[in-house]
Amino acid sequence: MVGARSIPQATVARLPLYLRVLREAAAERATTLSSEVLAARVGVTAAQLRKDLSHLGSYGTRGVGYDVEYLVREIGRRLGLGEERRVAIVGAGNLGQALARYGGFSSRGFRVVAVFDADPAKVGTLVGSTPVTHSSEMAAALGEARVDIAVITTPAQSAQRVVDTAVGAGVGSILNFAPTTVTVPPGVAIRQVDLGIELQILTFYQQRVESASGVRPCP
Amino acid sequence: MVGARSIPQATVARLPLYLRVLREAAAERATTLSSEVLAARVGVTAAQLRKDLSHLGSYGTRGVGYDVEYLVREIGRRLGLGEERRVAIVGAGNLGQALARYGGFSSRGFRVVAVFDADPAKVGTLVGSTPVTHSSEMAAALGEARVDIAVITTPAQSAQRVVDTAVGAGVGSILNFAPTTVTVPPGVAIRQVDLGIELQILTFYQQRVESASGVRPCP
DNA sequence: GACTGTGAATAGTTTCACAGCC
DNA sequence: GGCTGTGAAACTATTCACAGTC
């Protein structure tokens, strides 16, 4: 391990949630918020929020709460959101096109700079404001566009190949929506989201409630 | 707690992954798999896989491995995938339309039976094979269509209202894609997926690698 | 008086390592 | 010999409760 004090994974996964709520609060002209209020809006306990923030340093004021502006800046800094991140979408199907046009990316400092697809009929068409490039040109184009994050929305069978190409081209982060597990070498960050699996998890907890009662869903 | 032996949350979240790989293996005519092989394909350790499956019962054979067909059936049964689940999509924007057409739902036993939107111009148009209904009719339509799961793809500001309506109409599970935390009463299952947050988490781990080295991304 | 920051206690999860079975 | 099932150990995360600060 290097010199960096490490922030627990579970905390890292919640920091963006805090950031989201803090930005909303800032938009509503709030200047300070207590852990109690902030936690309630995020859906965690006040103790957990304080513990999480304590991993970043002492950013609150006892008797008062947290300064909204200041916390937004600090969490953003810790998450590495200082500069714009460049995103490529690989696979211009339903989901890929939706993500390319999705406002929730651009509004948070992520810019879609390339869209790829293997279908020649799609090449050259616009998805949002980005023209589709053929997958065969991916290796070169990813480097040229200085892509930081590749979002994989191809069919499962091509996903690993696409990821390998992206990693080979210097992409350091992968967000995989293809319904298959892909692997990356150490040093590359990866997250996998399978929408079908989310529904299956819901179904598990729901059936519990249907039969018995008094079971809390999930966190 | 009721009579059911409880399966740890972390295990529940992995069962669908095992199921996915097992189905692939079945399609390739595999009859048995060892924990070693199965775990490698899922991207977990063999010990973890064995511990997870042990929560369901003793379904393997020592010296041999796990019977693929049998495990598929058992995991499916535990997840409650016996009968088709009925899904409604609320919000026919980019993401909502993409999800309504997404093959990964229907192929796994989830059927989109209704799509809602607040925009009168969209009402009556087809999204995939489902006509769009106006949001004002949601309360009645959800019950009539016997919807099990509501997928929320509205803007953040309408999400909580929509969730309240859905829960009021008897929907027992919510999958929320709106970039805001929504709350549900006990007994309702909920999962929240924020695509922008996934990118922020990736950015955190990526910057660590950029500056220092030897930091493993995320699980 | 109100609220943060944090050690200590508890709960949950993963890994280890090996006994037990085929 | 190969592989599962599982207690025990190690690790990670959450909750409690209160001393410390404004």
Side-chain angles (χ1 to χ4, degrees):
Chain A
M1 226 308 145
V2 269
R5 83 211 96 285
S6 79
I7 303 179
Q9 284 184 8
T11 297
V12 172
R14 281 187 297 265
L15 289 179
L17 292 169
Y18 301 153
L19 188 57
R20 198 173 68 180
V21 170
L22 284 163
R23 281 181 172 152
E24 282 169 20
E28 293 161 11
R29 301 269 181 284
T31 57
T32 61
L33 283 183
S34 68
S35 61
E36 196 86 45
V37 171
L38 184 44
R41 291 217 207 168
V42 175
V44 299
T45 65
Q48 181 160 82
L49 182 131
R50 291 200 301 274
K51 177 73 88 178
D52 281 343
L53 294 184
S54 77
H55 288 114
L56 308 186
S58 277
Y59 293 156
T61 310
R62 291 165 204 240
V64 180
Y66 296 93
D67 183 89
V68 174
E69 289 274 331
Y70 183 60
L71 245 197
V72 165
R73 256 199 325 278
E74 281 308 313
I75 295 179
R77 201 169 58 74
R78 279 314 188 86
L79 287 173
L81 304 178
E83 61 212 272
E84 187 182 70
R85 297 273 157 173
R86 301 166 69 82
V87 176
I89 311 261
V90 188
N94 292 324
L95 189 58
Q97 292 192 30
L99 294 179
R101 289 189 248 256
Y102 179 54
F105 286 173
S106 47
S107 72
R108 284 182 270 189
F110 296 92
R111 185 140 70 97
V112 175
V113 296
V115 176
F116 299 96
D117 200 283
D119 178 359
K122 284 185 182 150
V123 171
T125 62
L126 285 182
V127 173
S129 54
T130 316
V132 176
T133 306
H134 194 266
S135 307
S136 58
E137 294 167 45
M138 227 174 67
L142 284 173
E144 212 171 294
R146 302 195 322 284
V147 166
D148 299 300
I149 304 175
V151 177
I152 314 300
T153 52
T154 64
Q157 70 205 77
S158 350
Q160 185 65 60
R161 200 161 359 104
V162 163
V163 167
D164 293 344
T165 305
V167 170
V171 172
S173 300
I174 304 285
L175 178 52
N176 177 39
F177 287 94
T180 186
T181 302
V182 299
T183 58
V184 294
V188 175
I190 181 156
R191 297 196 54 95
Q192 319 221 31
V193 179
D194 183 321
L195 305 172
I197 283 181
E198 296 298 324
L199 295 185
Q200 293 178 352
I201 296 172
L202 280 174
T203 299
F204 174 84
Y205 288 106
Q206 193 47 46
Q207 67 165 356
R208 302 245 119 175
V209 177
E210 273 165 22
S211 47
S213 53
V215 183
R216 136 236 62 178
C218 48
Chain B
M1 228 307 145
V2 268
R5 82 213 97 288
S6 81
I7 302 179
Q9 283 184 8
T11 296
V12 171
R14 282 188 296 265
L15 289 179
L17 293 170
Y18 301 152
L19 188 58
R20 198 174 68 179
V21 169
L22 285 163
R23 282 181 171 151
E24 283 169 18
E28 293 161 9
R29 301 266 181 288
T31 56
T32 62
L33 283 182
S34 67
S35 62
E36 195 87 45
V37 171
L38 184 44
R41 290 215 207 168
V42 174
V44 299
T45 66
Q48 180 160 81
L49 182 129
R50 291 200 302 275
K51 178 73 89 179
D52 281 343
L53 294 185
S54 78
H55 289 114
L56 309 186
S58 277
Y59 293 157
T61 311
R62 292 166 204 238
V64 179
Y66 296 93
D67 183 89
V68 174
E69 290 275 332
Y70 184 62
L71 246 196
V72 165
R73 255 198 327 276
E74 281 308 313
I75 295 179
R77 200 168 58 75
R78 279 315 187 84
L79 287 174
L81 305 177
E83 61 212 272
E84 188 182 69
R85 297 272 157 174
R86 302 165 70 83
V87 176
I89 311 261
V90 188
N94 291 324
L95 190 58
Q97 291 193 30
L99 294 179
R101 289 189 248 257
Y102 180 55
F105 287 173
S106 47
S107 73
R108 285 183 268 189
F110 296 92
R111 185 140 71 98
V112 176
V113 296
V115 176
F116 298 96
D117 200 282
D119 178 359
K122 283 186 181 149
V123 171
T125 63
L126 284 182
V127 173
S129 54
T130 316
V132 176
T133 305
H134 194 266
S135 307
S136 59
E137 294 167 46
M138 228 173 66
L142 284 173
E144 211 170 296
R146 302 195 322 284
V147 167
D148 300 300
I149 304 175
V151 176
I152 313 299
T153 52
T154 63
Q157 70 206 78
S158 351
Q160 184 65 60
R161 202 162 356 105
V162 163
V163 167
D164 293 344
T165 305
V167 170
V171 172
S173 300
I174 304 285
L175 177 52
N176 177 39
F177 286 94
T180 187
T181 302
V182 299
T183 58
V184 292
V188 176
I190 182 156
R191 296 198 53 97
Q192 319 222 29
V193 178
D194 183 321
L195 304 171
I197 283 181
E198 296 299 324
L199 294 184
Q200 294 179 351
I201 296 172
L202 280 174
T203 298
F204 174 85
Y205 288 107
Q206 193 48 46
Q207 68 167 354
R208 300 247 120 174
V209 176
E210 273 164 20
S211 47
S213 50
V215 183
R216 133 236 63 178
C218 49

PDB file of all heavy atoms in Angstrom, chain A residues 44-74:
ATOM      1  N   VAL A  44     -29.374   7.237   4.983  1.00  0.00           N
ATOM      2  CA  VAL A  44     -28.463   6.485   5.856  1.00  0.00           C
ATOM      3  C   VAL A  44     -28.619   7.044   7.269  1.00  0.00           C
ATOM      4  O   VAL A  44     -29.352   8.004   7.481  1.00  0.00           O
ATOM      5  CB  VAL A  44     -26.989   6.611   5.399  1.00  0.00           C
ATOM      6  CG1 VAL A  44     -26.808   6.055   3.994  1.00  0.00           C
ATOM      7  CG2 VAL A  44     -26.503   8.056   5.476  1.00  0.00           C
ATOM      8  N   THR A  45     -27.926   6.438   8.242  1.00  0.00           N
ATOM      9  CA  THR A  45     -28.015   6.961   9.601  1.00  0.00           C
ATOM     10  C   THR A  45     -27.029   8.111   9.780  1.00  0.00           C
ATOM     11  O   THR A  45     -26.022   8.200   9.078  1.00  0.00           O
ATOM     12  CB  THR A  45     -27.673   5.887  10.648  1.00  0.00           C
ATOM     13  OG1 THR A  45     -26.304   5.522  10.491  1.00  0.00           O
ATOM     14  CG2 THR A  45     -28.543   4.649  10.478  1.00  0.00           C
ATOM     15  N   ALA A  46     -27.325   8.958  10.749  1.00  0.00           N
ATOM     16  CA  ALA A  46     -26.463  10.112  11.006  1.00  0.00           C
ATOM     17  C   ALA A  46     -25.066   9.651  11.433  1.00  0.00           C
ATOM     18  O   ALA A  46     -24.057  10.236  11.038  1.00  0.00           O
ATOM     19  CB  ALA A  46     -27.075  10.997  12.088  1.00  0.00           C
ATOM     20  N   ALA A  47     -25.003   8.590  12.221  1.00  0.00           N
ATOM     21  CA  ALA A  47     -23.703   8.098  12.693  1.00  0.00           C
ATOM     22  C   ALA A  47     -22.866   7.628  11.506  1.00  0.00           C
ATOM     23  O   ALA A  47     -21.658   7.873  11.445  1.00  0.00           O
ATOM     24  CB  ALA A  47     -23.905   6.947  13.671  1.00  0.00           C
ATOM     25  N   GLN A  48     -23.507   6.969  10.571  1.00  0.00           N
ATOM     26  CA  GLN A  48     -22.767   6.470   9.415  1.00  0.00           C
ATOM     27  C   GLN A  48     -22.230   7.624   8.567  1.00  0.00           C
ATOM     28  O   GLN A  48     -21.089   7.600   8.120  1.00  0.00           O
ATOM     29  CB  GLN A  48     -23.666   5.596   8.559  1.00  0.00           C
ATOM     30  CG  GLN A  48     -22.922   5.046   7.364  1.00  0.00           C
ATOM     31  CD  GLN A  48     -23.618   3.846   6.813  1.00  0.00           C
ATOM     32  OE1 GLN A  48     -24.563   3.943   6.058  1.00  0.00           O
ATOM     33  NE2 GLN A  48     -23.153   2.683   7.217  1.00  0.00           N
ATOM     34  N   LEU A  49     -23.055   8.620   8.393  1.00  0.00           N
ATOM     35  CA  LEU A  49     -22.607   9.772   7.628  1.00  0.00           C
ATOM     36  C   LEU A  49     -21.406  10.436   8.310  1.00  0.00           C
ATOM     37  O   LEU A  49     -20.424  10.764   7.663  1.00  0.00           O
ATOM     38  CB  LEU A  49     -23.749  10.776   7.481  1.00  0.00           C
ATOM     39  CG  LEU A  49     -23.335  11.977   6.644  1.00  0.00           C
ATOM     40  CD1 LEU A  49     -24.354  12.260   5.579  1.00  0.00           C
ATOM     41  CD2 LEU A  49     -23.096  13.191   7.497  1.00  0.00           C
ATOM     42  N   ARG A  50     -21.470  10.619   9.604  1.00  0.00           N
ATOM     43  CA  ARG A  50     -20.359  11.265  10.292  1.00  0.00           C
ATOM     44  C   ARG A  50     -19.089  10.418  10.187  1.00  0.00           C
ATOM     45  O   ARG A  50     -18.001  10.939   9.945  1.00  0.00           O
ATOM     46  CB  ARG A  50     -20.701  11.491  11.772  1.00  0.00           C
ATOM     47  CG  ARG A  50     -21.769  12.531  11.970  1.00  0.00           C
ATOM     48  CD  ARG A  50     -21.761  13.093  13.380  1.00  0.00           C
ATOM     49  NE  ARG A  50     -21.951  12.089  14.405  1.00  0.00           N
ATOM     50  CZ  ARG A  50     -23.137  11.671  14.835  1.00  0.00           C
ATOM     51  NH1 ARG A  50     -24.248  12.182  14.322  1.00  0.00           N
ATOM     52  NH2 ARG A  50     -23.218  10.765  15.780  1.00  0.00           N
ATOM     53  N   LYS A  51     -19.254   9.131  10.349  1.00  0.00           N
ATOM     54  CA  LYS A  51     -18.087   8.249  10.234  1.00  0.00           C
ATOM     55  C   LYS A  51     -17.503   8.321   8.819  1.00  0.00           C
ATOM     56  O   LYS A  51     -16.288   8.417   8.645  1.00  0.00           O
ATOM     57  CB  LYS A  51     -18.507   6.823  10.586  1.00  0.00           C
ATOM     58  CG  LYS A  51     -17.442   5.771  10.459  1.00  0.00           C
ATOM     59  CD  LYS A  51     -16.393   5.832  11.542  1.00  0.00           C
ATOM     60  CE  LYS A  51     -16.795   5.025  12.757  1.00  0.00           C
ATOM     61  NZ  LYS A  51     -15.768   5.014  13.816  1.00  0.00           N
ATOM     62  N   ASP A  52     -18.360   8.282   7.838  1.00  0.00           N
ATOM     63  CA  ASP A  52     -17.889   8.360   6.442  1.00  0.00           C
ATOM     64  C   ASP A  52     -17.102   9.649   6.216  1.00  0.00           C
ATOM     65  O   ASP A  52     -15.999   9.633   5.682  1.00  0.00           O
ATOM     66  CB  ASP A  52     -19.076   8.321   5.463  1.00  0.00           C
ATOM     67  CG  ASP A  52     -19.609   6.916   5.249  1.00  0.00           C
ATOM     68  OD1 ASP A  52     -18.899   5.940   5.572  1.00  0.00           O
ATOM     69  OD2 ASP A  52     -20.744   6.786   4.750  1.00  0.00           O
ATOM     70  N   LEU A  53     -17.692  10.764   6.634  1.00  0.00           N
ATOM     71  CA  LEU A  53     -17.026  12.048   6.387  1.00  0.00           C
ATOM     72  C   LEU A  53     -15.743  12.168   7.197  1.00  0.00           C
ATOM     73  O   LEU A  53     -14.799  12.851   6.786  1.00  0.00           O
ATOM     74  CB  LEU A  53     -17.974  13.204   6.698  1.00  0.00           C
ATOM     75  CG  LEU A  53     -19.184  13.313   5.766  1.00  0.00           C
ATOM     76  CD1 LEU A  53     -20.000  14.543   6.097  1.00  0.00           C
ATOM     77  CD2 LEU A  53     -18.784  13.323   4.296  1.00  0.00           C
ATOM     78  N   SER A  54     -15.712  11.494   8.332  1.00  0.00           N
ATOM     79  CA  SER A  54     -14.507  11.586   9.158  1.00  0.00           C
ATOM     80  C   SER A  54     -13.305  10.958   8.450  1.00  0.00           C
ATOM     81  O   SER A  54     -12.162  11.272   8.758  1.00  0.00           O
ATOM     82  CB  SER A  54     -14.724  10.916  10.508  1.00  0.00           C
ATOM     83  OG  SER A  54     -14.653   9.515  10.389  1.00  0.00           O
ATOM     84  N   HIS A  55     -13.567  10.083   7.489  1.00  0.00           N
ATOM     85  CA  HIS A  55     -12.460   9.499   6.727  1.00  0.00           C
ATOM     86  C   HIS A  55     -11.815  10.509   5.785  1.00  0.00           C
ATOM     87  O   HIS A  55     -10.690  10.302   5.329  1.00  0.00           O
ATOM     88  CB  HIS A  55     -12.942   8.286   5.921  1.00  0.00           C
ATOM     89  CG  HIS A  55     -13.241   7.097   6.761  1.00  0.00           C
ATOM     90  ND1 HIS A  55     -14.511   6.585   6.892  1.00  0.00           N
ATOM     91  CD2 HIS A  55     -12.455   6.326   7.536  1.00  0.00           C
ATOM     92  CE1 HIS A  55     -14.473   5.547   7.708  1.00  0.00           C
ATOM     93  NE2 HIS A  55     -13.247   5.374   8.116  1.00  0.00           N
ATOM     94  N   LEU A  56     -12.547  11.570   5.485  1.00  0.00           N
ATOM     95  CA  LEU A  56     -11.973  12.604   4.608  1.00  0.00           C
ATOM     96  C   LEU A  56     -11.221  13.648   5.420  1.00  0.00           C
ATOM     97  O   LEU A  56     -10.382  14.381   4.899  1.00  0.00           O
ATOM     98  CB  LEU A  56     -13.082  13.320   3.818  1.00  0.00           C
ATOM     99  CG  LEU A  56     -14.088  12.489   3.041  1.00  0.00           C
ATOM    100  CD1 LEU A  56     -14.983  13.396   2.229  1.00  0.00           C
ATOM    101  CD2 LEU A  56     -13.374  11.513   2.130  1.00  0.00           C
ATOM    102  N   GLY A  57     -11.569  13.762   6.690  1.00  0.00           N
ATOM    103  CA  GLY A  57     -10.979  14.797   7.533  1.00  0.00           C
ATOM    104  C   GLY A  57     -12.068  15.399   8.407  1.00  0.00           C
ATOM    105  O   GLY A  57     -13.183  14.886   8.460  1.00  0.00           O
ATOM    106  N   SER A  58     -11.767  16.459   9.087  1.00  0.00           N
ATOM    107  CA  SER A  58     -12.734  17.114   9.962  1.00  0.00           C
ATOM    108  C   SER A  58     -13.331  18.312   9.250  1.00  0.00           C
ATOM    109  O   SER A  58     -12.793  19.408   9.315  1.00  0.00           O
ATOM    110  CB  SER A  58     -12.052  17.581  11.249  1.00  0.00           C
ATOM    111  OG  SER A  58     -11.975  16.519  12.149  1.00  0.00           O
ATOM    112  N   TYR A  59     -14.431  18.081   8.590  1.00  0.00           N
ATOM    113  CA  TYR A  59     -14.984  19.141   7.760  1.00  0.00           C
ATOM    114  C   TYR A  59     -16.225  19.786   8.355  1.00  0.00           C
ATOM    115  O   TYR A  59     -16.809  20.680   7.770  1.00  0.00           O
ATOM    116  CB  TYR A  59     -15.289  18.611   6.345  1.00  0.00           C
ATOM    117  CG  TYR A  59     -14.062  18.235   5.579  1.00  0.00           C
ATOM    118  CD1 TYR A  59     -14.121  17.317   4.535  1.00  0.00           C
ATOM    119  CD2 TYR A  59     -12.828  18.815   5.875  1.00  0.00           C
ATOM    120  CE1 TYR A  59     -12.988  16.984   3.817  1.00  0.00           C
ATOM    121  CE2 TYR A  59     -11.684  18.474   5.159  1.00  0.00           C
ATOM    122  CZ  TYR A  59     -11.775  17.559   4.138  1.00  0.00           C
ATOM    123  OH  TYR A  59     -10.653  17.233   3.427  1.00  0.00           O
ATOM    124  N   GLY A  60     -16.652  19.319   9.512  1.00  0.00           N
ATOM    125  CA  GLY A  60     -17.841  19.888  10.125  1.00  0.00           C
ATOM    126  C   GLY A  60     -17.476  20.840  11.260  1.00  0.00           C
ATOM    127  O   GLY A  60     -16.321  20.951  11.637  1.00  0.00           O
ATOM    128  N   THR A  61     -18.501  21.498  11.777  1.00  0.00           N
ATOM    129  CA  THR A  61     -18.297  22.374  12.929  1.00  0.00           C
ATOM    130  C   THR A  61     -19.241  21.924  14.027  1.00  0.00           C
ATOM    131  O   THR A  61     -20.454  21.875  13.815  1.00  0.00           O
ATOM    132  CB  THR A  61     -18.619  23.830  12.558  1.00  0.00           C
ATOM    133  OG1 THR A  61     -17.931  24.165  11.360  1.00  0.00           O
ATOM    134  CG2 THR A  61     -18.192  24.770  13.670  1.00  0.00           C
ATOM    135  N   ARG A  62     -18.696  21.597  15.189  1.00  0.00           N
ATOM    136  CA  ARG A  62     -19.543  21.108  16.287  1.00  0.00           C
ATOM    137  C   ARG A  62     -20.510  22.179  16.718  1.00  0.00           C
ATOM    138  O   ARG A  62     -20.164  23.350  16.774  1.00  0.00           O
ATOM    139  CB  ARG A  62     -18.661  20.687  17.465  1.00  0.00           C
ATOM    140  CG  ARG A  62     -17.868  19.443  17.135  1.00  0.00           C
ATOM    141  CD  ARG A  62     -16.734  19.224  18.116  1.00  0.00           C
ATOM    142  NE  ARG A  62     -15.689  18.418  17.518  1.00  0.00           N
ATOM    143  CZ  ARG A  62     -15.277  17.238  17.982  1.00  0.00           C
ATOM    144  NH1 ARG A  62     -15.807  16.720  19.074  1.00  0.00           N
ATOM    145  NH2 ARG A  62     -14.333  16.588  17.369  1.00  0.00           N
ATOM    146  N   GLY A  63     -21.719  21.740  16.961  1.00  0.00           N
ATOM    147  CA  GLY A  63     -22.758  22.694  17.336  1.00  0.00           C
ATOM    148  C   GLY A  63     -23.447  23.342  16.151  1.00  0.00           C
ATOM    149  O   GLY A  63     -24.489  23.972  16.302  1.00  0.00           O
ATOM    150  N   VAL A  64     -22.871  23.183  14.969  1.00  0.00           N
ATOM    151  CA  VAL A  64     -23.407  23.854  13.786  1.00  0.00           C
ATOM    152  C   VAL A  64     -23.797  22.871  12.681  1.00  0.00           C
ATOM    153  O   VAL A  64     -24.940  22.816  12.255  1.00  0.00           O
ATOM    154  CB  VAL A  64     -22.376  24.867  13.224  1.00  0.00           C
ATOM    155  CG1 VAL A  64     -22.929  25.565  11.995  1.00  0.00           C
ATOM    156  CG2 VAL A  64     -21.985  25.871  14.300  1.00  0.00           C
ATOM    157  N   GLY A  65     -22.834  22.081  12.228  1.00  0.00           N
ATOM    158  CA  GLY A  65     -23.095  21.139  11.138  1.00  0.00           C
ATOM    159  C   GLY A  65     -22.013  21.259  10.078  1.00  0.00           C
ATOM    160  O   GLY A  65     -20.892  21.666  10.366  1.00  0.00           O
ATOM    161  N   TYR A  66     -22.367  20.885   8.851  1.00  0.00           N
ATOM    162  CA  TYR A  66     -21.401  20.914   7.757  1.00  0.00           C
ATOM    163  C   TYR A  66     -21.701  22.072   6.816  1.00  0.00           C
ATOM    164  O   TYR A  66     -22.860  22.323   6.485  1.00  0.00           O
ATOM    165  CB  TYR A  66     -21.444  19.604   6.978  1.00  0.00           C
ATOM    166  CG  TYR A  66     -21.034  18.405   7.797  1.00  0.00           C
ATOM    167  CD1 TYR A  66     -21.983  17.648   8.473  1.00  0.00           C
ATOM    168  CD2 TYR A  66     -19.692  18.041   7.910  1.00  0.00           C
ATOM    169  CE1 TYR A  66     -21.615  16.551   9.241  1.00  0.00           C
ATOM    170  CE2 TYR A  66     -19.321  16.950   8.675  1.00  0.00           C
ATOM    171  CZ  TYR A  66     -20.273  16.215   9.337  1.00  0.00           C
ATOM    172  OH  TYR A  66     -19.906  15.144  10.101  1.00  0.00           O
ATOM    173  N   ASP A  67     -20.663  22.738   6.378  1.00  0.00           N
ATOM    174  CA  ASP A  67     -20.816  23.802   5.396  1.00  0.00           C
ATOM    175  C   ASP A  67     -21.032  23.170   4.026  1.00  0.00           C
ATOM    176  O   ASP A  67     -20.180  22.404   3.547  1.00  0.00           O
ATOM    177  CB  ASP A  67     -19.569  24.687   5.384  1.00  0.00           C
ATOM    178  CG  ASP A  67     -19.725  25.846   4.415  1.00  0.00           C
ATOM    179  OD1 ASP A  67     -20.219  26.895   4.833  1.00  0.00           O
ATOM    180  OD2 ASP A  67     -19.385  25.675   3.218  1.00  0.00           O
ATOM    181  N   VAL A  68     -22.155  23.478   3.413  1.00  0.00           N
ATOM    182  CA  VAL A  68     -22.560  22.800   2.187  1.00  0.00           C
ATOM    183  C   VAL A  68     -21.548  23.021   1.054  1.00  0.00           C
ATOM    184  O   VAL A  68     -21.038  22.059   0.470  1.00  0.00           O
ATOM    185  CB  VAL A  68     -23.970  23.263   1.742  1.00  0.00           C
ATOM    186  CG1 VAL A  68     -24.332  22.668   0.389  1.00  0.00           C
ATOM    187  CG2 VAL A  68     -24.999  22.846   2.787  1.00  0.00           C
ATOM    188  N   GLU A  69     -21.252  24.266   0.770  1.00  0.00           N
ATOM    189  CA  GLU A  69     -20.317  24.605  -0.316  1.00  0.00           C
ATOM    190  C   GLU A  69     -18.981  23.883  -0.149  1.00  0.00           C
ATOM    191  O   GLU A  69     -18.425  23.314  -1.080  1.00  0.00           O
ATOM    192  CB  GLU A  69     -20.026  26.109  -0.308  1.00  0.00           C
ATOM    193  CG  GLU A  69     -21.174  26.986  -0.747  1.00  0.00           C
ATOM    194  CD  GLU A  69     -21.206  27.138  -2.253  1.00  0.00           C
ATOM    195  OE1 GLU A  69     -20.134  27.058  -2.876  1.00  0.00           O
ATOM    196  OE2 GLU A  69     -22.305  27.320  -2.802  1.00  0.00           O
ATOM    197  N   TYR A  70     -18.485  23.977   1.075  1.00  0.00           N
ATOM    198  CA  TYR A  70     -17.164  23.441   1.356  1.00  0.00           C
ATOM    199  C   TYR A  70     -17.149  21.924   1.167  1.00  0.00           C
ATOM    200  O   TYR A  70     -16.246  21.359   0.547  1.00  0.00           O
ATOM    201  CB  TYR A  70     -16.767  23.817   2.784  1.00  0.00           C
ATOM    202  CG  TYR A  70     -15.387  23.387   3.169  1.00  0.00           C
ATOM    203  CD1 TYR A  70     -14.279  23.844   2.475  1.00  0.00           C
ATOM    204  CD2 TYR A  70     -15.195  22.497   4.224  1.00  0.00           C
ATOM    205  CE1 TYR A  70     -13.004  23.441   2.833  1.00  0.00           C
ATOM    206  CE2 TYR A  70     -13.925  22.088   4.582  1.00  0.00           C
ATOM    207  CZ  TYR A  70     -12.836  22.561   3.885  1.00  0.00           C
ATOM    208  OH  TYR A  70     -11.578  22.142   4.233  1.00  0.00           O
ATOM    209  N   LEU A  71     -18.193  21.262   1.679  1.00  0.00           N
ATOM    210  CA  LEU A  71     -18.264  19.804   1.570  1.00  0.00           C
ATOM    211  C   LEU A  71     -18.378  19.372   0.104  1.00  0.00           C
ATOM    212  O   LEU A  71     -17.765  18.398  -0.319  1.00  0.00           O
ATOM    213  CB  LEU A  71     -19.454  19.263   2.335  1.00  0.00           C
ATOM    214  CG  LEU A  71     -19.189  18.376   3.543  1.00  0.00           C
ATOM    215  CD1 LEU A  71     -20.454  17.620   3.897  1.00  0.00           C
ATOM    216  CD2 LEU A  71     -18.059  17.396   3.307  1.00  0.00           C
ATOM    217  N   VAL A  72     -19.180  20.088  -0.671  1.00  0.00           N
ATOM    218  CA  VAL A  72     -19.311  19.772  -2.090  1.00  0.00           C
ATOM    219  C   VAL A  72     -17.930  19.781  -2.739  1.00  0.00           C
ATOM    220  O   VAL A  72     -17.559  18.856  -3.459  1.00  0.00           O
ATOM    221  CB  VAL A  72     -20.239  20.787  -2.810  1.00  0.00           C
ATOM    222  CG1 VAL A  72     -20.091  20.678  -4.328  1.00  0.00           C
ATOM    223  CG2 VAL A  72     -21.684  20.558  -2.414  1.00  0.00           C
ATOM    224  N   ARG A  73     -17.174  20.822  -2.440  1.00  0.00           N
ATOM    225  CA  ARG A  73     -15.837  20.926  -3.027  1.00  0.00           C
ATOM    226  C   ARG A  73     -14.940  19.781  -2.584  1.00  0.00           C
ATOM    227  O   ARG A  73     -14.257  19.157  -3.385  1.00  0.00           O
ATOM    228  CB  ARG A  73     -15.193  22.259  -2.634  1.00  0.00           C
ATOM    229  CG  ARG A  73     -15.183  23.281  -3.758  1.00  0.00           C
ATOM    230  CD  ARG A  73     -14.173  24.388  -3.556  1.00  0.00           C
ATOM    231  NE  ARG A  73     -13.971  24.796  -2.171  1.00  0.00           N
ATOM    232  CZ  ARG A  73     -14.768  25.650  -1.511  1.00  0.00           C
ATOM    233  NH1 ARG A  73     -15.812  26.187  -2.101  1.00  0.00           N
ATOM    234  NH2 ARG A  73     -14.490  25.973  -0.264  1.00  0.00           N
ATOM    235  N   GLU A  74     -14.947  19.500  -1.281  1.00  0.00           N
ATOM    236  CA  GLU A  74     -14.037  18.482  -0.755  1.00  0.00           C
ATOM    237  C   GLU A  74     -14.363  17.077  -1.265  1.00  0.00           C
ATOM    238  O   GLU A  74     -13.479  16.314  -1.633  1.00  0.00           O
ATOM    239  CB  GLU A  74     -14.058  18.493   0.773  1.00  0.00           C
ATOM    240  CG  GLU A  74     -13.226  19.611   1.372  1.00  0.00           C
ATOM    241  CD  GLU A  74     -11.806  19.639   0.819  1.00  0.00           C
ATOM    242  OE1 GLU A  74     -11.168  18.583   0.757  1.00  0.00           O
ATOM    243  OE2 GLU A  74     -11.342  20.730   0.428  1.00  0.00           O
TER     244      GLU A  74
END
